[in-house]
Amino acid sequence: MKRRLILLVVPILLLTGCWDQKQLSQLTYVSALGVDYVNNEFVLYFQVLDFATIGKSEQGSSGTEGPNIWIGKGKGSTFALAWDAIYNSTQQKTLFGQISSVVFSEAALGKKQVAESMDTMERFIDARITPWIYTTKEPIDKIFAVEPMLPNSPILTLLHLPNGNYEQHSLISPMKTVEFAALINEPSASIVVPTIGIHDELWKKDDKNMPMMNVNGAFLFYKGKKPQWISKDDLIGLRWVDQNTESTPLSLNEKNGKLKALLPIEKPNIKIQTKINKSGAPKFNLKIKVNATANQLNSQFSNKVLKNEVKKKIEQEIRNTFLIGINKKLDVLHLEEELYRNNYKSWKSITKKDKYPLTSHSLGTIKVKVILKDRGELE
């Protein structure tokens, strides 16, 4: 009997168990990383969220207690040293595997700063390169301090979860850091990185203006040159050639600016045909098919007239955005990449000696097919 008891007890004593296992409350989880560059030094910002708050938000919370947001700051002559500096003041073990967004300030968008940041993040074993990537013209600590709507977790914001907003209001497509890393060294790529800002005039709480995040434009990275910023309004035509577009509003206005129709447009389908003329210059012809719903009509339209109005507006927006890119020597509509993928020989010849391959005449015909929903009675 004693021998059997010993045989049962000894294996139990040899089990290691989880003696070093830590509870969530004993760990610090960084949820967002900000990259700035000031006086030849990297300045990194770390947003830390309370996981208890996140848990409550998933079940729905009606409490009045505000979100628990902490922001850390580290400086150093290199990205790695700035990252390491944060360890000196953290009170608990800090984990970086939960970072869901990376925000670059305008000052940190230099070629050297971006390359060093991406290289260090790829090498750092605790971090991942799957977060969303943003640029900003605002102070990063102010971005990180913005509270969510209602008593929700700070994770429920554009900073961490942009897809929900984009699916309903597609203008500038969110981008993952891993996508950016894959494209940054491509010879033909034009990378559109959304710019996140703060708007404090649209929402109020208890008669007090509440700052909210919004995407107000984007920085465009093109062939290793200094990134240039373009506003959301000037990029409006980009949505029609972006296969990621889910649903986007199109407004038709009178000459005096009065709204005459508002139509949500869903999932545009784009085909680009590339031709090289006798002089060797590229010409791009676009075919676009869209699905539209007439949500609001302030004037009477037949289907034919309404479709023509939509076609004209979409073509106008595309051409305006294209010309804004031409003036800045940028490929906003990703046309060069189409040439690079489908006619490499011509692309190589046109772009030799770093020649900019596009002119104001590069965009040829734009044919738009509009499918109207719920308008069968008005032919």
Side-chain angles (χ1 to χ4, degrees):
M1 186 69 179
K2 289 183 179 180
R3 188 174 181 181
R4 287 184 180 179
L5 185 60
I6 292 172
L7 289 174
L8 287 172
V9 172
V10 170
I12 295 173
L13 295 175
L14 292 176
L15 293 175
T16 58
C18 299
W19 302 111
D20 61 344
Q21 187 74 27
K22 294 183 181 296
Q23 297 180 1
L24 284 177
S25 60
Q26 296 176 302
L27 299 170
T28 298
Y29 290 88
V30 176
S31 55
L33 172 67
V35 185
D36 199 359
Y37 196 74
V38 181
N39 297 327
N40 296 318
E41 275 192 321
F42 281 92
V43 181
L44 302 186
Y45 293 88
F46 303 83
Q47 184 195 62
V48 175
L49 305 182
D50 182 359
F51 266 68
T53 307
I54 295 174
K56 289 178 183 178
S57 70
E58 292 175 351
Q59 302 173 5
S61 172
S62 59
T64 58
E65 185 178 351
N68 196 2
I69 305 174
W70 286 67
I71 301 168
K73 182 177 178 181
K75 296 181 181 180
S77 57
T78 67
F79 185 95
L81 286 173
W83 189 301
D84 191 63
I86 198 68
Y87 287 112
N88 191 46
S89 60
T90 53
Q91 307 299 298
Q92 302 174 134
K93 184 175 182 179
T94 303
L95 301 181
F96 298 89
Q98 304 300 318
I99 292 176
S100 60
S101 62
V102 178
V103 182
F104 283 84
S105 73
E106 185 173 4
L109 294 179
K111 187 174 182 179
K112 172 184 175 295
Q113 288 77 23
V114 170
E116 184 174 337
S117 301
M118 296 303 297
D119 181 69
T120 307
M121 281 191 285
E122 288 174 9
R123 293 173 184 273
F124 188 50
I125 192 170
D126 285 346
R128 304 172 184 175
I129 57 171
T130 54
W132 302 105
I133 184 170
Y134 288 104
T135 53
T136 188
K137 288 172 167 283
E138 305 279 354
I140 294 177
D141 54 346
K142 288 187 177 181
I143 293 285
F144 284 0
V146 171
E147 297 183 8
M149 294 181 64
L150 308 178
N152 284 324
S153 161
I155 211 77
L156 301 178
T157 62
L158 283 177
L159 183 64
H160 299 285
L161 295 171
N163 274 350
N165 175 276
Y166 183 73
E167 287 170 3
Q168 290 184 313
H169 195 78
S170 305
L171 292 177
I172 300 174
S173 178
M175 175 171 280
K176 291 280 191 177
T177 307
V178 66
E179 297 176 67
F180 178 83
L183 292 171
I184 192 63
N185 293 317
E186 284 288 315
S188 65
S190 178
I191 312 173
V192 182
V193 183
T195 299
I196 196 165
I198 300 174
H199 202 302
D200 62 359
E201 297 178 356
L202 297 179
W203 292 90
K204 286 189 174 185
K205 177 184 176 184
D206 300 329
D207 205 33
K208 176 184 175 183
N209 286 349
M210 296 297 293
M212 288 290 153
M213 299 179 201
N214 69 336
V215 174
N216 54 26
F219 276 94
L220 272 74
F221 292 73
Y222 184 61
K223 295 189 173 182
K225 299 175 182 177
K226 182 180 179 181
Q228 298 187 60
W229 189 75
I230 300 181
S231 71
K232 178 186 68 177
D233 292 339
D234 287 341
L235 284 173
I236 196 72
L238 179 61
R239 56 185 171 162
W240 307 119
V241 299
D242 189 344
Q243 298 285 14
N244 293 321
T245 298
E246 292 284 340
S247 178
T248 188
L250 179 71
S251 59
L252 303 176
N253 300 318
E254 305 282 2
K255 290 183 179 180
N256 60 6
K258 183 180 178 181
L259 179 72
K260 58 182 180 180
L262 179 65
L263 302 97
I265 310 290
E266 296 179 350
K267 297 181 178 179
N269 183 274
I270 172 75
K271 292 183 179 179
I272 303 176
Q273 182 186 45
T274 307
K275 290 185 177 181
I276 307 298
N277 61 26
K278 293 180 180 180
S279 65
K283 178 81 75 173
F284 303 92
N285 299 318
L286 310 185
K287 288 185 178 181
I288 302 170
K289 183 171 75 172
V290 300
N291 298 296
T293 303
N295 261 13
Q296 179 179 351
L297 295 176
N298 294 338
S299 303
Q300 286 296 320
F301 294 95
S302 69
N303 276 0
K304 183 178 180 180
V305 171
L306 186 57
K307 286 180 180 180
N308 285 334
E309 291 275 341
V310 172
K311 291 177 184 179
K312 289 178 184 178
K313 185 66 180 292
I314 289 176
E315 179 176 355
Q316 179 188 35
E317 289 185 355
I318 292 172
R319 292 193 183 280
N320 287 347
T321 295
F322 172 74
L323 291 175
I324 287 168
I326 289 293
N327 291 334
K328 294 177 176 288
K329 291 191 178 297
L330 295 171
D331 177 23
V332 179
L333 303 182
H334 309 292
L335 299 178
E336 183 185 344
E337 187 170 358
E338 189 72 20
L339 179 64
Y340 174 78
R341 301 294 178 193
N342 298 307
N343 195 337
Y344 178 78
K345 185 177 179 180
S346 296
W347 173 85
K348 187 72 174 177
S349 174
I350 294 168
T351 59
K352 61 184 177 182
K353 297 181 181 179
D354 293 326
K355 181 181 177 182
Y356 179 62
L358 304 176
T359 69
S360 58
H361 303 291
S362 295
L363 186 56
T365 60
I366 301 176
K367 295 182 179 180
V368 182
K369 180 179 180 180
V370 180
I371 299 173
L372 284 175
K373 299 180 179 180
D374 303 325
R375 288 276 294 173
E377 74 283 1
L378 292 176
E379 293 294 343

